[in-house]
Amino acid sequence: MSNIKYVGKNLFIEKLSVAKIAKKNTTPFYLYSENQIKENYVKFFNTFKKIKPLVCFAAKSNSNLSILKSLGKLGAGTDVVSIGELLKALKAGIKANKIVFSGVGKTEEELKIAINKKILLINCESESEAKIINKLAKKANKSVSIGFRLNPDIDAKTHKKISTGKANNKFGISIKNFSIFLNEIKKLKNIKLEALSVHIGSQILSDVPYNKVLTILSKLIKNLDLNLKYIDLGGGFGINYSKKDKPINLKKYSNLVHSFSKKLNCKIIFEPGRSIVGNAGILVSKIQYIKNATNKKFIILNAGMNDFMRPALYDSHHEIIPITKNKKKIKGIIEFVGPICESTCKFGTYKNYQKISENDFVAIANVGAYGSSLSSNYNTRPLIAEILVNKNKFKFIRNKQNLLKLLST
Ligand code: LLP
């Protein structure tokens, strides 16, 4: 059941009217439903209940401290890709033994901190990285558990800019090089290989590529006679951005993962991001101006591509919904755009949209993942506020950035 829906003609988030929050606070802002996030996490966990996985929420999808805290309380770990995310996860109360560290370019400094904090796994992506980890571990007189990220050369059938599991993607170690690689790292005495990890892409809406990965992993583990403690199957589970998107059949996949993990006697780790927070957030924005052009009307919002990058970056579709519905229509085509001086600063085109006027509010839907976390100060615009709703209460979980801070450099 969605926590963001219309009650009569008004858009509600949990028990609060979005219009009321918008009228009281400076727009634009991100608005999240805490209970939607929790429900998504619990639903995900329950789908895989039989295998009791460790679910490491991908902090890159939304790294707000309050959201990490909220998920941590439910038992989630965190998948981090930088020292900033690692320290934030720890600050949010996530135990180090529930944190996995991914990424192709971890620096020596980052690896040193990860080793000192004794996180569960560093998912290593190259021979050079393995050597650095070994050197640092030796210096610290430690033995460090690592995972290797495999590049399974699987097409996740998603947007090409968010596909990561094909041989031509920079991620992981190819199957072809894997056994040579294993022989090399056997010489490194201060690291021990305890896991294999894979992550083939994001916004994946079919279970087929995931199933293929399981087959590849099974074969590889058997052929190389690997004795592993963990298999990290990554994230990537897609959400429905439009009515055309069909939800991924996770139940079917969970049965396959169950038999896979039973055979290997390994703990399964997942790293979902989007599927936990994506549908839990909206971006509330005011209509600044309406401008007539030759063949359409521009609806100029006060939110820009710096606040929400996905449409500009991936041509991604996000519904733009009025926060108060009416039955009147605007004739012709309208295009929602933002104020940034780039033609890609646009959010969607509609025909026969309901009547809207300057100073009305609209919400860009499904922006909980890769919304705020991808935002920037482009055009010297402060980062916008983030507000979290729980039932009939809302609180700021990030204040709008102070403009003065941006003026100092
Ligand atoms: N694990 C690893 C190693 C990853 O690289 C990612 C995402 C995830 C987990 C989480 O994937 P998710 O469950 O959220 O799909 N900015 C893009 C998405 C980039 C995803 C990068 N990696 C977007 O807005 O669509």
Side-chain angles (χ1 to χ4, degrees):
M1 182 77 166
S2 172
N3 287 281
I4 304 173
K5 58 173 187 286
Y6 287 99
V7 178
K9 59 184 176 49
N10 294 311
L11 186 64
F12 268 70
I13 178 159
E14 302 207 11
K15 302 246 178 288
L16 292 180
S17 139
V18 176
K20 271 197 187 149
I21 306 175
K23 276 176 199 154
K24 276 193 207 145
N25 297 286
T26 307
T27 58
F29 54 78
Y30 280 98
L31 186 62
Y32 307 110
S33 155
E34 185 166 18
N35 285 303
Q36 188 64 51
I37 296 172
K38 288 181 176 173
E39 282 167 28
N40 291 341
Y41 174 82
V42 171
K43 188 173 168 207
F44 183 88
F45 188 85
N46 284 342
T47 306
F48 294 95
K49 200 162 56 192
K50 278 198 277 188
I51 51 175
K52 296 196 186 76
L54 172 63
V55 179
C56 291
F57 171 65
K60 66 173 80 63
S61 63
N62 191 318
S63 56
N64 187 287
L65 194 65
S66 301
I67 289 176
L68 296 181
K69 272 188 193 161
S70 186
L71 287 166
K73 281 189 196 142
L74 295 177
T78 318
D79 162 48
V80 302
V81 288
S82 70
I83 212 57
E85 287 186 359
L86 171 53
L87 296 177
K88 239 184 177 183
L90 290 171
K91 191 173 170 196
I94 315 272
K95 295 267 180 325
N97 65 7
K98 285 186 170 180
I99 297 177
V100 297
F101 193 173
S102 315
V104 290
K106 302 176 201 81
T107 66
E108 199 161 323
E109 192 54 32
E110 288 180 312
L111 290 167
K112 207 191 274 175
I113 298 175
I115 292 170
N116 280 340
K117 298 287 182 192
K118 300 196 181 79
I119 65 166
L120 179 66
L121 276 180
I122 299 174
N123 283 334
C124 177
E125 302 212 18
S126 64
E127 195 177 319
S128 306
E129 185 186 342
K131 284 182 179 157
I132 299 264
I133 300 172
N134 187 64
K135 183 186 89 178
L136 293 169
K138 196 169 170 192
K139 228 179 185 176
N141 210 8
K142 280 183 178 163
S143 170
V144 173
S145 323
I146 59 162
F148 277 136
R149 178 163 174 183
L150 197 70
N151 183 319
D153 194 16
I154 290 287
D155 187 350
K157 300 265 186 276
T158 182
H159 192 292
K160 74 172 191 312
K161 289 192 179 165
I162 52 175
S163 183
T164 53
K166 287 285 290 168
N168 64 356
N169 296 128
K170 67 182 172 186
F171 302 95
I173 297 150
S174 70
I175 299 179
K176 197 170 131 245
N177 292 337
F178 203 69
S179 59
I180 308 166
F181 183 73
L182 277 184
N183 285 334
E184 278 304 305
I185 65 123
K186 270 185 196 141
K187 297 176 201 154
L188 307 174
K189 299 296 173 206
N190 290 70
I191 54 177
K192 48 181 190 300
L193 176 63
E194 293 204 324
L196 282 188
S197 82
V198 277
H199 173 77
I200 55 171
S202 197
Q203 184 54 14
I204 301 169
L205 285 170
S206 158
D207 53 307
V208 176
Y210 285 111
N211 301 342
K212 284 188 185 159
V213 167
L214 290 185
T215 311
I216 289 175
L217 282 177
S218 298
K219 262 195 213 153
L220 189 83
I221 294 167
K222 198 168 154 218
N223 289 346
L224 297 177
D225 196 20
L226 296 176
N227 187 13
L228 302 167
K229 260 174 122 169
Y230 310 96
I231 302 283
D232 180 344
L233 293 171
F237 313 104
I239 62 167
N240 299 354
Y241 283 107
S242 84
K243 291 188 188 97
K244 277 186 274 163
D245 293 335
K246 286 217 186 80
I248 180 167
N249 186 348
L250 278 190
K251 199 70 224 153
K252 200 164 127 203
Y253 177 53
S254 80
N255 291 333
L256 289 176
V257 177
H258 185 226
S259 50
F260 168 85
S261 71
K262 252 197 349 209
K263 259 188 261 154
L264 296 173
N265 195 22
C266 281
K267 178 93 178 162
I268 298 290
I269 299 172
F270 288 114
E271 303 171 349
R274 191 189 313 267
S275 52
I276 306 297
V277 289
N279 69 353
I282 54 178
L283 174 55
V284 179
S285 180
K286 191 177 76 174
I287 298 171
Q288 193 73 45
Y289 300 116
I290 297 183
K291 177 161 93 169
N292 288 320
T294 322
N295 48 8
K296 58 185 163 189
K297 271 187 170 48
F298 286 111
I299 312 295
I300 304 168
L301 301 180
N302 62 354
M305 65 185 272
N306 70 302
D307 303 312
F308 183 55
M309 272 293 271
R310 296 197 78 249
L313 211 50
Y314 315 112
D315 283 325
S316 59
H317 168 81
H318 287 261
E319 285 296 317
I320 302 171
I321 54 178
I323 65 173
T324 311
K325 285 203 272 193
N326 65 46
K327 294 216 163 78
K328 294 178 204 142
K329 294 270 181 241
I330 297 190
K331 271 198 201 127
I333 296 172
I334 62 165
E335 182 168 25
F336 287 98
V337 299
I340 303 296
C341 301
E342 299 250 2
S343 291
T344 52
C345 183
K346 55 186 183 182
F347 299 113
T349 305
Y350 291 81
K351 236 185 198 171
N352 297 322
Y353 202 81
Q354 78 160 49
K355 184 167 185 311
I356 38 176
S357 313
E358 291 179 354
N359 297 314
D360 282 353
F361 300 107
V362 290
I364 308 180
N366 298 313
V367 299
Y370 308 106
S372 169
S373 61
L374 267 177
S375 59
S376 78
N377 289 125
Y378 189 40
N379 281 199
T380 313
R381 286 164 54 93
L383 298 181
I384 62 177
E386 291 179 286
I387 300 175
L388 186 65
V389 174
N390 192 321
K391 296 187 185 131
N392 58 357
K393 294 206 165 62
F394 75 87
K395 64 175 181 195
F396 278 75
I397 57 171
R398 179 177 77 188
N399 289 325
K400 182 178 175 186
Q401 203 176 23
N402 186 337
L403 180 63
L404 290 179
K405 275 205 180 137
L406 296 185
L407 307 184
S408 60
T409 55

